[in-house]
Amino acid sequence: MAIQMPRGTQDILPGQSELWQYIENTARDICRRYQYKEIRTPIFEHTELFLRGVGDTTDIVQKEMYSFKDRGDRDITLRPEGTAAVVRSYIEHKMFGWPNQPVKLYYIGPMFRYERPQAGRFRQFVQFGIEALGSADPAIDAEVLALAMGIYKELGLKKLKLVINSLGDKESRTAHRNALIGHFEPRIGEFCEDCQKRLQKNPLRILDCKKDRDHELMKSSPSILDYLNEESKVYFDKVQQLLTDLGIDFVVDPTLVRGLDYYNHTAFEIMSDAEGFGAITTLCGGGRYNGLAEELGGPETPGIGFALSIERLIAALEAEKVELPIDRGIDCYLVSLGDAAKDYTVKLAYELRNAGFTVEKDYNDRKAKAQFKSADRLEAKYVAILGDDELSANKINVKNMETGEQKELDLATFVEEFKKIQD
Ligand code: HAM
């Protein structure tokens, strides 16, 4: 039997890959305007990075990591996300000493999570993400949110919902944590085994539980917003005011808890509101993680970022029926009739391609009609027709496929002439 791809992965074939490139180019271009620079970190890291970074009570670490021992008996994990690795790299390369702070970085690459595959959920998926390290200015929060929304908007998506929350600083989180323990403890026996473990270790994770989400205590659980201290409240207000100034719509949802442990202050998600979009509507998630660098052995460094998957972005484009303006056509198709002419088109294709044109020709000795069909399929703007007779007369026929207009050009100066007829 033929071997198939592993469950939860996908092949991106020609036809689709142009879409991916268009999206990636759009993201790169926005990053250039916002001055985020690309960082490329390894696909695998020491497992400990994610235990300490993402948090050992999270689903990602508990259930979803692709971890293995390498031949040197080291514990290695295929990265489930990008933030921990970027912060590791920031510390390792002492980026905190770079003259321009915050250091603003972006990445595009595959991430791996052993999740139950379904529409919009893969085991290998591609995240585009950004991280800004070294500033605790709410203006950076607003910038990061604006950039995330900007990508979707520039690609033509309209049905988006930005949801934000504040998880507060350490003091606020401790107060909220104690309130959560007090709230759940008397009836924790009614919750799943995981939640029972979460109660003392990380009660915030209970709010994220998929099994117990309908329990009545969930709805009445203490809201983090009631436990924000003055400083956290002022910070959150400022972020909201800046977003309002930018005209970016958002809703505050105090039940928004993210699936990773490193967050504090601003946390957010962008959802698709499009009809017919699958059950998983979160397109993008992110937030502030001011304690993460210290947790990973670096100096105290504020940070904020987000990540989105290209897979879900494409699903949203499909749900909203957005057609991206991808130019799939080619500049010229070379039709040849006769052996000598066929050989000559090898040289012509070479010269035209060297001059920057996208060019295709026949390689399978097909009849003229079949070659014209190929030209149509490839959406050729021009078709150049060379027969053995034209070749001996040093001429070539060029047809503009849009207007139907035909021209006879000198073969010797064809590339130069072809450049001219473009304008
Ligand atoms: P996350 O919420 O785990 O956050 O993932 C971010 C985004 O990755 C999700 O909103 C979703 O678009 C996509 N995603 C996650 N899992 C899958 C999957 N199995 N299949 C397809 N897409 C998926 C993070 O990863 C954080 N590192 C984000 C961040 C950056 N926070 C601060 N900086």
Side-chain angles (χ1 to χ4, degrees), residues 30-57:
I30 293 183
C31 283
R32 186 182 57 77
R33 283 180 264 149
Y34 277 77
Q35 278 298 290
Y36 285 73
K37 303 282 167 74
E38 185 173 10
I39 181 167
R40 300 186 188 201
T41 61
I43 302 280
F44 59 85
E45 296 273 354
H46 291 293
T47 300
E48 197 193 342
L49 175 68
F50 303 112
L51 299 186
R52 272 163 59 185
V54 175
D56 56 7
T57 56

Side-chain angles (χ1 to χ4, degrees), residues 10-21:
Q10 59 176 346
D11 295 322
I12 312 297
L13 306 181
Q16 261 308 82
S17 54
E18 293 83 356
L19 195 66
W20 283 70
Q21 286 171 1

Side-chain angles (χ1 to χ4, degrees), residues 60 64 80-84 107 111 113 115-116 118 120-131 152 258-260 262-263 268-270 280 282-289 304-313:
I60 294 180
E64 296 170 3
E81 62 105 45
T83 311
Y107 48 91
M111 306 291 161
R113 296 184 192 176
E115 295 195 83
R116 205 160 49 80
Q118 63 185 94
R121 183 181 284 152
F122 296 87
R123 289 185 173 163
Q124 175 176 332
F125 55 97
V126 174
Q127 272 190 352
F128 161 76
I130 69 164
E131 314 291 349
Y152 293 115
R258 306 264 306 120
L260 306 93
Y262 45 63
Y263 292 112
F268 67 94
E269 290 187 350
I270 299 171
I280 302 175
T282 307
L283 299 178
C284 168
R288 204 163 249 296
Y289 46 83
I304 180 167
F306 74 80
L308 60 85
S309 72
I310 313 278
E311 287 81 356
R312 288 194 195 166
L313 199 169

